[in-house]
């Protein structure tokens, strides 16, 4: 999980947002199974950034869904200072 997250972060920094997005989504599932909500929230935020950088538009934008998922996971941890 940690190595895939590091790969996603590196891909994001190298402007390969497609690769970064797919890896963030991959680790989100792993983190959810482990109930590591802080990590799920962080991966959700980065997935939202990837959607934003890719310019994916729609009726309900993927970046909005990703940010809402991050907010919900931070709320599970009662880390509202991160969600504000």
């Amino acid at each position: 999980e940690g190595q895939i997250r590091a790969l996603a972060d590196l891909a994001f920094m190298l402007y390969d947002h497609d690769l970064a997005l797919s890896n963030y989504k991959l680790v989100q599932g792993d983190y959810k199974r482990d109930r590591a909500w802080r990590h799920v929230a962080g991966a959700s935020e980065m997935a939202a950034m990837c959607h934003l950088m890719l310019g994916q538009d729609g009726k309900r934008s993927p970046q909005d869904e990703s940010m809402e998922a991050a907010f919900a996971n931070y709320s599970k941890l009662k880390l509202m200072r991160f969600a504000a």
Side-chain angles (χ1 to χ4, degrees):
E1 295 164 357
Q3 290 177 340
I4 295 172
R5 173 62 197 257
L7 172 64
D9 291 340
L10 180 62
F12 185 84
M13 288 188 288
L14 296 175
Y15 301 100
D16 189 350
H17 300 114
D18 287 319
L19 177 63
L21 179 60
S22 65
N23 283 308
Y24 287 128
K25 287 184 177 183
L26 179 65
V27 296
Q28 276 179 323
D30 291 341
Y31 290 146
K32 282 180 187 176
R33 281 188 291 283
D34 293 343
R35 297 183 178 264
W37 303 119
R38 184 178 300 186
H39 296 291
V40 174
S44 296
E45 284 186 71
M46 290 307 296
M49 294 301 298
C50 289
H51 285 296
L52 184 66
M53 298 301 283
L54 290 169
Q56 296 177 351
D57 295 324
K59 186 182 290 184
R60 179 148 167 77
S61 65
Q63 61 262 30
D64 289 340
E65 292 175 7
S66 293
M67 289 306 278
E68 287 176 10
F71 181 81
N73 287 303
Y74 282 133
S75 296
K76 287 179 186 178
L77 291 169
K78 300 188 182 349
L79 295 173
M80 297 308 292
R81 67 176 184 264
F82 294 119

